[in-house]
Amino acid sequence: MSANSFEFRMNSPIGNSDQSVRNSYVRTRSHRRRFAGAPGDRRRRRRDRRGREVARPAVTESLTVLIPAHNEADFIADAVKSAFGQTVRPRTVLVLADSCTDDTAAIARRCGAEVLEVDCRSKPESLNLALAEVTTEFVALLDADGYFASDRALEMCLERMCAKGYGGVCMSVTPHSVKGVFQRSRVIEWAAAHRMSRTVESWHGWVAVLSGCAGVYRTESVRAVGGWSADSLCEDVELALKMNRAGHKAGFVPGAYVCVRDPGSWSVYWAQTHRWAAGWAQALYKHRSLFLHSWGFTRVFGAMLVDSVLMASGYLSLLYQLATRFTHFDAFRWMGLWFLMMVALTFGTAALQIGIRRTLTCYPAYLVVGTMGTVVSLWVMFREWVLGRHLISWTGRQGRQVEITRMSERRRFVLALTGAGAGLVGALSGRVLDREYLFLTGAAATGSVLLSALLWHLVNRMPEQA
């Protein structure tokens, strides 16, 4: 999509049956001449089913849209125009040009946005700088490489916030284009997540994440929790946790959509999945006390953890069956129970969201890419929680290198002792039960763990060469 063309087609991943698609629009040249950042009031009259005019809430005019950007010259025009093209016109559209070396700032100004040029090299830090200057009651967030898929997206969010008293809401997310396996996989991931996960989370009063690609918040609610966390890999997860913890409820607006540009290659997909999994693990550990103090938090995140454990158990069981050639288990029964449940759940929820035809087209890619993503996420959570090695910097558009902390000596000692103890218990059990294979496996595990710990200790004591 070029900067001079902005079109939301009816065959987008959202699905033709969704109400938001019926309200979506096509930005033609005449549309741009009318709405492309021109000043003035362009509010349209709204009527109910009986044709009676419905007044628009006055509070919806007090809105600022923040668009953080780093070298987004190819996409910034679409983001700004989609913000100005809303039925609820924001008072200000502010582009945060963070360490940009291209024409992002100039293009944003030509589109009618105000521009704040900063050198934070951090999305949450630039957002916090802008938050200090916001004077409106509401503040919206939109990533520079995304755009609102409907001209009523902000209006729907504000109406839900005013009706429910939410401190912040997130929208449904859908890929901008569906051209490769990674985008097709994300179509199913987003559809299933928003149709099922966000809805269930809303029932329990704990929306787990206020999506960082787009959302609307009460300005004072964000300020009350200290803004976006600059020390978090997933500031959107951290914001949702802090707001819920402080009593500023987070919500979800299923009919409001934002289009995003998802990864088109394995390297980008891996980097994004790595960051998301590490950010989730760190945020949950940071707020782990909520498991004892909030039943809603426990139900939502406890279910996620149980789901992860069951998923890990399923994969380990599959690996074991493959290694033993399914000699100890009924292969058909295992495959039927596990994969049929997974297929039915994800396929059914995705079909309700985007339609059966699109789900059939995208689901094979999801089975492949989604499985790889699950393995990556499980490994990252194991590394964060068990090994104590934390991702603190990731390769993103700021050009930073991946940085992972080293395991502490104390944790290494505890893990070695635990592993050796488990192996010793297995060896003793094998001796008592007269199971030679169990005895040998336990003895080998104990010896391997102790030897590995000793070698690592010796290597770390060696002086570094100049």
Side-chain angles (χ1 to χ4, degrees):
M1 177 181 293
S2 65
N4 296 322
S5 172
F6 186 80
E7 180 178 0
F8 182 72
R9 298 174 176 84
M10 295 300 289
N11 62 350
S12 69
I14 298 176
N16 294 340
S17 60
D18 196 279
Q19 180 64 33
S20 63
V21 173
R22 300 191 190 102
N23 296 326
S24 63
Y25 56 93
V26 177
R27 284 173 174 258
T28 59
R29 293 182 179 178
S30 60
H31 184 101
R32 282 198 299 270
R33 284 196 299 268
R34 183 180 179 188
F35 295 141
D41 186 4
R42 60 165 192 79
R43 292 179 296 173
R44 295 182 295 183
R45 294 181 179 180
R46 298 179 55 215
R47 298 182 181 276
D48 60 16
R49 294 181 178 179
R50 296 182 179 180
R52 295 174 300 187
E53 187 172 334
V54 179
R56 192 181 306 276
V59 294
T60 58
E61 296 301 321
S62 185
L63 173 68
T64 298
V65 177
L66 303 180
I67 306 179
H70 172 71
N71 291 342
E72 300 285 3
D74 293 337
F75 310 122
I76 190 64
D78 292 343
V80 173
K81 290 176 182 178
S82 73
F84 278 125
Q86 294 295 295
T87 54
V88 174
R89 184 180 180 83
R91 178 184 300 177
T92 304
V93 175
L94 178 61
V95 174
L96 312 174
D98 189 0
S99 309
C100 292
T101 57
D102 60 2
D103 295 331
T104 298
I107 295 174
R109 289 190 178 97
R110 287 200 297 268
C111 292
E114 297 182 14
V115 177
L116 177 63
E117 299 188 55
V118 296
D119 189 23
C120 298
R121 297 183 179 273
S122 168
K123 177 181 176 180
E125 289 183 11
S126 62
L127 286 172
N128 288 332
L129 284 178
L131 182 65
E133 306 298 325
V134 173
T135 59
T136 54
E137 181 181 359
F138 298 93
V139 58
L141 170 64
L142 174 64
D143 274 352
D145 61 347
Y147 55 90
F148 298 118
S150 166
D151 59 354
R152 291 194 62 238
L154 292 180
E155 180 183 353
M156 295 171 68
C157 290
L158 291 168
E159 288 178 346
R160 179 65 64 88
M161 292 179 68
C162 293
K164 300 292 186 179
Y166 289 137
V169 295
C170 61
M171 308 179 191
S172 296
V173 181
T174 189
H176 158 72
S177 62
V178 185
K179 297 181 179 179
V181 293
F182 296 100
Q183 289 92 344
R184 291 181 186 276
S185 176
R186 278 290 166 82
V187 169
I188 303 298
E189 291 180 33
W190 290 128
H194 293 124
R195 186 74 184 193
M196 180 177 59
S197 301
R198 294 289 181 271
T199 302
V200 173
E201 292 166 8
S202 299
W203 291 346
H204 293 294
W206 264 91
V207 171
V209 54
L210 289 170
S211 302
C213 54
V216 183
Y217 321 94
R218 295 183 187 273
T219 305
E220 290 307 317
S221 295
V222 180
R223 287 174 177 163
V225 298
W228 287 269
S229 299
D231 60 346
S232 176
L233 293 173
C234 294
E235 71 281 347
D236 49 357
V237 177
E238 188 79 15
L239 180 63
L241 288 172
K242 292 193 301 183
M243 290 184 66
N244 280 303
R245 192 167 193 169
H248 304 278
K249 293 193 304 179
F252 169 58
V253 184
Y257 281 88
V258 60
C259 288
V260 298
R261 290 169 174 84
D262 276 315
S265 65
W266 167 248
S267 59
V268 179
Y269 181 87
W270 152 253
Q272 190 178 70
T273 303
H274 187 194
R275 178 177 69 91
W276 285 356
W280 268 98
Q282 293 174 15
L284 285 180
Y285 184 79
K286 183 177 180 180
H287 296 273
R288 61 189 181 278
S289 62
L290 286 173
F291 280 107
L292 300 177
H293 298 95
S294 174
W295 179 230
F297 176 90
T298 303
R299 285 180 294 181
V300 170
F301 289 94
M304 293 181 181
L305 294 178
V306 170
D307 179 66
S308 298
V309 171
L310 292 176
M311 192 174 297
S313 301
Y315 280 113
L316 290 175
S317 177
L318 177 59
L319 292 176
Y320 175 76
Q321 302 305 329
L322 291 174
T324 59
R325 298 182 181 181
F326 298 95
T327 56
H328 302 295
F329 200 84
D330 184 345
F332 178 79
R333 181 175 23 152
W334 190 93
M335 297 287 284
L337 289 176
W338 174 249
F339 286 104
L340 183 60
M341 181 179 67
M342 182 183 69
V343 168
L345 188 62
T346 56
F347 187 93
T349 53
L352 289 174
Q353 185 79 353
I354 62 176
I356 295 179
R357 179 179 298 180
R358 184 169 293 275
T359 303
L360 286 172
T361 304
C362 298
Y363 202 84
Y366 169 75
L367 285 178
V368 177
V369 179
T371 298
M372 293 190 298
T374 299
V375 174
V376 169
S377 299
L378 291 173
W379 158 247
V380 171
M381 287 190 290
F382 177 82
R383 188 197 67 201
E384 291 280 342
W385 289 341
V386 179
L387 301 184
R389 303 192 61 202
H390 308 302
L391 178 68
I392 57 177
S393 180
W394 67 291
T395 302
R397 294 180 181 175
Q398 301 288 356
R400 297 175 178 174
Q401 296 298 317
V402 174
E403 185 176 352
I404 301 175
T405 60
R406 301 181 63 179
M407 188 189 305
S408 65
E409 290 297 327
R410 179 180 178 182
R411 185 181 292 266
R412 195 184 310 280
F413 174 77
V414 171
L415 290 177
L417 191 63
T418 302
L424 183 60
V425 170
L428 292 176
S429 300
R431 178 65 70 183
V432 171
L433 299 175
D434 196 21
R435 301 289 178 86
E436 183 178 0
Y437 74 91
L438 184 58
F439 170 77
L440 293 177
T441 301
T446 301
S448 299
V449 170
L450 292 177
L451 181 60
S452 299
L454 178 61
L455 290 176
W456 188 269
H457 179 71
L458 294 176
V459 169
N460 285 339
R461 288 177 62 88
M462 295 176 62
E464 297 182 1
Q465 294 182 355

Short mmCIF file of all heavy atoms in Angstrom, two decimals, residues 49-93:
data_model
loop_
_atom_site.label_atom_id
_atom_site.label_comp_id
_atom_site.label_asym_id
_atom_site.label_seq_id
_atom_site.Cartn_x
_atom_site.Cartn_y
_atom_site.Cartn_z
N ARG A 49 -32.50 2.60 15.10
CA ARG A 49 -33.22 1.77 14.14
C ARG A 49 -34.54 2.39 13.71
O ARG A 49 -35.06 2.08 12.64
CB ARG A 49 -33.46 0.39 14.75
CG ARG A 49 -32.16 -0.40 14.98
CD ARG A 49 -32.46 -1.76 15.56
NE ARG A 49 -31.23 -2.53 15.73
CZ ARG A 49 -31.22 -3.77 16.25
NH1 ARG A 49 -32.35 -4.35 16.62
NH2 ARG A 49 -30.07 -4.41 16.37
N ARG A 50 -35.11 3.25 14.54
CA ARG A 50 -36.38 3.89 14.19
C ARG A 50 -36.18 5.21 13.46
O ARG A 50 -37.15 5.91 13.20
CB ARG A 50 -37.20 4.11 15.46
CG ARG A 50 -37.60 2.80 16.16
CD ARG A 50 -38.46 3.09 17.38
NE ARG A 50 -38.87 1.85 18.04
CZ ARG A 50 -39.62 1.81 19.14
NH1 ARG A 50 -40.06 2.96 19.69
NH2 ARG A 50 -39.94 0.65 19.68
N GLY A 51 -34.94 5.53 13.17
CA GLY A 51 -34.67 6.75 12.44
C GLY A 51 -34.54 7.99 13.29
O GLY A 51 -34.38 9.09 12.77
N ARG A 52 -34.59 7.83 14.61
CA ARG A 52 -34.47 8.99 15.49
C ARG A 52 -33.01 9.37 15.66
O ARG A 52 -32.15 8.50 15.82
CB ARG A 52 -35.10 8.69 16.85
CG ARG A 52 -36.61 8.44 16.77
CD ARG A 52 -37.15 8.00 18.12
NE ARG A 52 -36.53 6.76 18.58
CZ ARG A 52 -36.94 6.10 19.65
NH1 ARG A 52 -37.95 6.55 20.38
NH2 ARG A 52 -36.33 4.98 20.00
N GLU A 53 -32.73 10.66 15.64
CA GLU A 53 -31.35 11.11 15.77
C GLU A 53 -30.85 10.87 17.19
O GLU A 53 -31.55 11.13 18.17
CB GLU A 53 -31.27 12.60 15.43
CG GLU A 53 -29.83 13.12 15.38
CD GLU A 53 -29.76 14.55 14.85
OE1 GLU A 53 -30.68 14.93 14.09
OE2 GLU A 53 -28.80 15.24 15.20
N VAL A 54 -29.64 10.36 17.27
CA VAL A 54 -29.02 10.06 18.56
C VAL A 54 -27.87 11.04 18.79
O VAL A 54 -27.00 11.19 17.93
CB VAL A 54 -28.48 8.61 18.60
CG1 VAL A 54 -27.82 8.33 19.94
CG2 VAL A 54 -29.63 7.64 18.35
N ALA A 55 -27.90 11.71 19.92
CA ALA A 55 -26.84 12.69 20.22
C ALA A 55 -25.54 11.98 20.54
O ALA A 55 -25.52 10.94 21.20
CB ALA A 55 -27.27 13.57 21.40
N ARG A 56 -24.44 12.53 20.08
CA ARG A 56 -23.12 11.97 20.37
C ARG A 56 -22.64 12.48 21.73
O ARG A 56 -22.77 13.67 22.03
CB ARG A 56 -22.14 12.38 19.28
CG ARG A 56 -20.83 11.63 19.32
CD ARG A 56 -19.91 12.14 18.22
NE ARG A 56 -20.55 12.07 16.93
CZ ARG A 56 -20.59 10.98 16.18
NH1 ARG A 56 -20.02 9.88 16.63
NH2 ARG A 56 -21.18 10.98 15.01
N PRO A 57 -22.09 11.60 22.58
CA PRO A 57 -21.62 12.05 23.89
C PRO A 57 -20.58 13.16 23.77
O PRO A 57 -19.66 13.07 22.95
CB PRO A 57 -20.99 10.77 24.49
CG PRO A 57 -21.63 9.64 23.73
CD PRO A 57 -21.90 10.17 22.38
N ALA A 58 -20.73 14.18 24.57
CA ALA A 58 -19.82 15.32 24.48
C ALA A 58 -18.39 14.95 24.85
O ALA A 58 -17.44 15.50 24.32
CB ALA A 58 -20.31 16.46 25.38
N VAL A 59 -18.22 13.96 25.76
CA VAL A 59 -16.87 13.62 26.23
C VAL A 59 -16.02 13.02 25.13
O VAL A 59 -14.81 12.99 25.23
CB VAL A 59 -16.95 12.63 27.40
CG1 VAL A 59 -17.58 13.27 28.61
CG2 VAL A 59 -17.70 11.36 27.01
N THR A 60 -16.63 12.52 24.06
CA THR A 60 -15.85 11.87 23.01
C THR A 60 -15.02 12.85 22.21
O THR A 60 -14.20 12.44 21.41
CB THR A 60 -16.78 11.11 22.06
OG1 THR A 60 -17.72 12.02 21.50
CG2 THR A 60 -17.51 10.00 22.78
N GLU A 61 -15.23 14.16 22.39
CA GLU A 61 -14.43 15.14 21.66
C GLU A 61 -13.08 15.37 22.34
O GLU A 61 -12.19 15.95 21.73
CB GLU A 61 -15.19 16.46 21.56
CG GLU A 61 -16.46 16.38 20.75
CD GLU A 61 -16.21 15.92 19.32
OE1 GLU A 61 -15.21 16.33 18.72
OE2 GLU A 61 -17.01 15.13 18.82
N SER A 62 -12.93 14.97 23.58
CA SER A 62 -11.70 15.24 24.32
C SER A 62 -10.74 14.07 24.14
O SER A 62 -10.60 13.23 25.02
CB SER A 62 -12.02 15.46 25.81
OG SER A 62 -10.85 15.84 26.51
N LEU A 63 -10.08 14.01 22.98
CA LEU A 63 -9.27 12.86 22.63
C LEU A 63 -7.99 13.28 21.92
O LEU A 63 -8.00 14.13 21.03
CB LEU A 63 -10.07 11.91 21.72
CG LEU A 63 -9.32 10.73 21.11
CD1 LEU A 63 -8.93 9.74 22.19
CD2 LEU A 63 -10.17 10.06 20.04
N THR A 64 -6.89 12.68 22.33
CA THR A 64 -5.59 12.83 21.67
C THR A 64 -5.13 11.46 21.18
O THR A 64 -5.22 10.48 21.91
CB THR A 64 -4.54 13.41 22.63
OG1 THR A 64 -4.94 14.72 23.05
CG2 THR A 64 -3.18 13.50 21.96
N VAL A 65 -4.65 11.39 19.95
CA VAL A 65 -4.12 10.15 19.39
C VAL A 65 -2.60 10.24 19.34
O VAL A 65 -2.05 11.16 18.73
CB VAL A 65 -4.69 9.87 17.99
CG1 VAL A 65 -4.07 8.60 17.40
CG2 VAL A 65 -6.21 9.73 18.04
N LEU A 66 -1.94 9.29 19.98
CA LEU A 66 -0.47 9.22 19.97
C LEU A 66 -0.04 8.13 18.99
O LEU A 66 -0.54 7.01 19.04
CB LEU A 66 0.07 8.90 21.37
CG LEU A 66 -0.32 9.86 22.49
CD1 LEU A 66 0.30 9.39 23.81
CD2 LEU A 66 0.11 11.28 22.16
N ILE A 67 0.91 8.46 18.12
CA ILE A 67 1.43 7.51 17.14
C ILE A 67 2.94 7.44 17.27
O ILE A 67 3.66 8.27 16.71
CB ILE A 67 1.03 7.90 15.70
CG1 ILE A 67 -0.48 8.08 15.58
CG2 ILE A 67 1.52 6.86 14.70
CD1 ILE A 67 -0.94 8.50 14.19
N PRO A 68 3.47 6.49 18.05
CA PRO A 68 4.93 6.33 18.15
C PRO A 68 5.49 5.77 16.85
O PRO A 68 4.91 4.85 16.26
CB PRO A 68 5.10 5.36 19.32
CG PRO A 68 3.82 4.58 19.35
CD PRO A 68 2.74 5.51 18.87
N ALA A 69 6.62 6.31 16.40
CA ALA A 69 7.16 5.89 15.10
C ALA A 69 8.68 5.94 15.12
O ALA A 69 9.29 6.81 15.75
CB ALA A 69 6.63 6.80 13.99
N HIS A 70 9.27 4.98 14.44
CA HIS A 70 10.71 4.98 14.19
C HIS A 70 10.95 4.54 12.75
O HIS A 70 10.74 3.39 12.40
CB HIS A 70 11.44 4.04 15.16
CG HIS A 70 12.90 3.86 14.81
ND1 HIS A 70 13.82 4.87 15.00
CD2 HIS A 70 13.58 2.82 14.27
CE1 HIS A 70 15.01 4.45 14.60
NE2 HIS A 70 14.89 3.21 14.14
N ASN A 71 11.34 5.51 11.92
CA ASN A 71 11.60 5.24 10.50
C ASN A 71 10.42 4.53 9.84
O ASN A 71 10.55 3.45 9.26
CB ASN A 71 12.88 4.40 10.34
CG ASN A 71 14.13 5.18 10.70
OD1 ASN A 71 14.12 6.41 10.75
ND2 ASN A 71 15.22 4.47 10.94
N GLU A 72 9.25 5.18 9.91
CA GLU A 72 8.02 4.61 9.34
C GLU A 72 7.51 5.47 8.20
O GLU A 72 6.31 5.68 8.03
CB GLU A 72 6.95 4.51 10.42
CG GLU A 72 7.31 3.65 11.61
CD GLU A 72 7.24 2.17 11.28
OE1 GLU A 72 6.97 1.84 10.10
OE2 GLU A 72 7.47 1.35 12.18
N ALA A 73 8.43 5.96 7.36
CA ALA A 73 8.02 6.84 6.26
C ALA A 73 7.07 6.16 5.29
O ALA A 73 6.23 6.81 4.67
CB ALA A 73 9.26 7.34 5.52
N ASP A 74 7.18 4.84 5.15
CA ASP A 74 6.32 4.12 4.20
C ASP A 74 4.89 3.96 4.70
O ASP A 74 3.99 3.73 3.88
CB ASP A 74 6.91 2.74 3.92
CG ASP A 74 8.23 2.80 3.17
OD1 ASP A 74 8.47 3.82 2.50
OD2 ASP A 74 9.02 1.84 3.27
N PHE A 75 4.67 4.07 6.02
CA PHE A 75 3.36 3.74 6.58
C PHE A 75 2.71 4.88 7.36
O PHE A 75 1.52 4.82 7.63
CB PHE A 75 3.47 2.53 7.51
CG PHE A 75 4.20 1.36 6.92
CD1 PHE A 75 5.32 0.84 7.52
CD2 PHE A 75 3.75 0.79 5.74
CE1 PHE A 75 6.00 -0.24 6.98
CE2 PHE A 75 4.41 -0.29 5.18
CZ PHE A 75 5.54 -0.81 5.79
N ILE A 76 3.48 5.90 7.75
CA ILE A 76 2.97 6.91 8.68
C ILE A 76 1.77 7.66 8.12
O ILE A 76 0.85 8.03 8.85
CB ILE A 76 4.09 7.89 9.08
CG1 ILE A 76 3.63 8.79 10.23
CG2 ILE A 76 4.56 8.71 7.89
CD1 ILE A 76 3.33 8.04 11.50
N ALA A 77 1.73 7.88 6.80
CA ALA A 77 0.60 8.61 6.21
C ALA A 77 -0.71 7.85 6.41
O ALA A 77 -1.74 8.45 6.73
CB ALA A 77 0.85 8.86 4.73
N ASP A 78 -0.68 6.53 6.23
CA ASP A 78 -1.90 5.73 6.43
C ASP A 78 -2.38 5.82 7.87
O ASP A 78 -3.59 5.90 8.13
CB ASP A 78 -1.63 4.27 6.07
CG ASP A 78 -1.39 4.08 4.58
OD1 ASP A 78 -1.74 5.00 3.82
OD2 ASP A 78 -0.84 3.04 4.20
N ALA A 79 -1.44 5.77 8.82
CA ALA A 79 -1.83 5.82 10.23
C ALA A 79 -2.46 7.17 10.58
O ALA A 79 -3.51 7.23 11.23
CB ALA A 79 -0.60 5.57 11.12
N VAL A 80 -1.84 8.25 10.13
CA VAL A 80 -2.36 9.60 10.44
C VAL A 80 -3.72 9.82 9.79
O VAL A 80 -4.66 10.32 10.43
CB VAL A 80 -1.35 10.67 10.00
CG1 VAL A 80 -1.96 12.06 10.16
CG2 VAL A 80 -0.06 10.56 10.80
N LYS A 81 -3.85 9.43 8.53
CA LYS A 81 -5.12 9.64 7.84
C LYS A 81 -6.24 8.81 8.45
O LYS A 81 -7.40 9.26 8.50
CB LYS A 81 -4.96 9.30 6.35
CG LYS A 81 -4.09 10.29 5.60
CD LYS A 81 -3.87 9.86 4.16
CE LYS A 81 -2.97 10.84 3.43
NZ LYS A 81 -2.69 10.41 2.04
N SER A 82 -5.92 7.61 8.92
CA SER A 82 -6.97 6.80 9.54
C SER A 82 -7.41 7.40 10.86
O SER A 82 -8.57 7.27 11.26
CB SER A 82 -6.47 5.37 9.76
OG SER A 82 -5.53 5.29 10.82
N ALA A 83 -6.50 8.09 11.56
CA ALA A 83 -6.88 8.77 12.81
C ALA A 83 -7.76 9.98 12.53
O ALA A 83 -8.78 10.20 13.20
CB ALA A 83 -5.62 9.18 13.57
N PHE A 84 -7.39 10.79 11.53
CA PHE A 84 -8.21 11.94 11.17
C PHE A 84 -9.54 11.52 10.52
O PHE A 84 -10.50 12.28 10.54
CB PHE A 84 -7.46 12.85 10.20
CG PHE A 84 -6.49 13.78 10.88
CD1 PHE A 84 -5.16 13.80 10.50
CD2 PHE A 84 -6.91 14.63 11.89
CE1 PHE A 84 -4.27 14.66 11.12
CE2 PHE A 84 -6.02 15.50 12.51
CZ PHE A 84 -4.69 15.52 12.13
N GLY A 85 -9.60 10.33 9.96
CA GLY A 85 -10.80 9.89 9.28
C GLY A 85 -11.84 9.26 10.17
O GLY A 85 -12.81 8.68 9.67
N GLN A 86 -11.70 9.37 11.49
CA GLN A 86 -12.66 8.79 12.42
C GLN A 86 -13.92 9.64 12.55
O GLN A 86 -13.86 10.87 12.41
CB GLN A 86 -12.01 8.62 13.80
CG GLN A 86 -10.87 7.62 13.84
CD GLN A 86 -11.37 6.22 13.56
OE1 GLN A 86 -12.14 5.64 14.32
NE2 GLN A 86 -10.93 5.66 12.44
N THR A 87 -15.03 9.00 12.83
CA THR A 87 -16.27 9.74 13.04
C THR A 87 -16.19 10.62 14.27
O THR A 87 -16.87 11.64 14.36
CB THR A 87 -17.45 8.76 13.20
OG1 THR A 87 -17.15 7.83 14.24
CG2 THR A 87 -17.70 8.01 11.91
N VAL A 88 -15.38 10.23 15.24
CA VAL A 88 -15.06 11.09 16.38
C VAL A 88 -13.69 11.68 16.12
O VAL A 88 -12.67 11.00 16.24
CB VAL A 88 -15.07 10.30 17.70
CG1 VAL A 88 -14.61 11.18 18.85
CG2 VAL A 88 -16.46 9.77 17.98
N ARG A 89 -13.65 12.92 15.74
CA ARG A 89 -12.40 13.55 15.34
C ARG A 89 -11.55 13.88 16.56
O ARG A 89 -12.00 14.57 17.47
CB ARG A 89 -12.67 14.82 14.55
CG ARG A 89 -11.41 15.48 14.01
CD ARG A 89 -11.75 16.74 13.23
NE ARG A 89 -10.56 17.38 12.71
CZ ARG A 89 -9.94 17.05 11.60
NH1 ARG A 89 -10.43 16.07 10.88
NH2 ARG A 89 -8.87 17.69 11.19
N PRO A 90 -10.31 13.38 16.63
CA PRO A 90 -9.44 13.70 17.77
C PRO A 90 -9.04 15.17 17.75
O PRO A 90 -8.91 15.78 16.68
CB PRO A 90 -8.23 12.79 17.54
CG PRO A 90 -8.22 12.53 16.08
CD PRO A 90 -9.67 12.49 15.66
N ARG A 91 -8.87 15.71 18.93
CA ARG A 91 -8.43 17.10 19.02
C ARG A 91 -7.01 17.24 18.48
O ARG A 91 -6.68 18.22 17.80
CB ARG A 91 -8.47 17.59 20.47
CG ARG A 91 -7.98 19.02 20.65
CD ARG A 91 -7.95 19.42 22.12
NE ARG A 91 -9.26 19.33 22.75
CZ ARG A 91 -9.49 19.58 24.04
NH1 ARG A 91 -8.47 19.92 24.83
NH2 ARG A 91 -10.71 19.47 24.53
N THR A 92 -6.19 16.23 18.77
CA THR A 92 -4.79 16.27 18.33
C THR A 92 -4.34 14.88 17.90
O THR A 92 -4.66 13.89 18.56
CB THR A 92 -3.86 16.76 19.47
OG1 THR A 92 -4.30 18.03 19.93
CG2 THR A 92 -2.42 16.86 18.99
N VAL A 93 -3.62 14.82 16.80
CA VAL A 93 -2.91 13.61 16.40
C VAL A 93 -1.42 13.92 16.51
O VAL A 93 -0.90 14.76 15.77
CB VAL A 93 -3.27 13.16 14.97
CG1 VAL A 93 -2.41 11.97 14.56
CG2 VAL A 93 -4.74 12.80 14.88
#
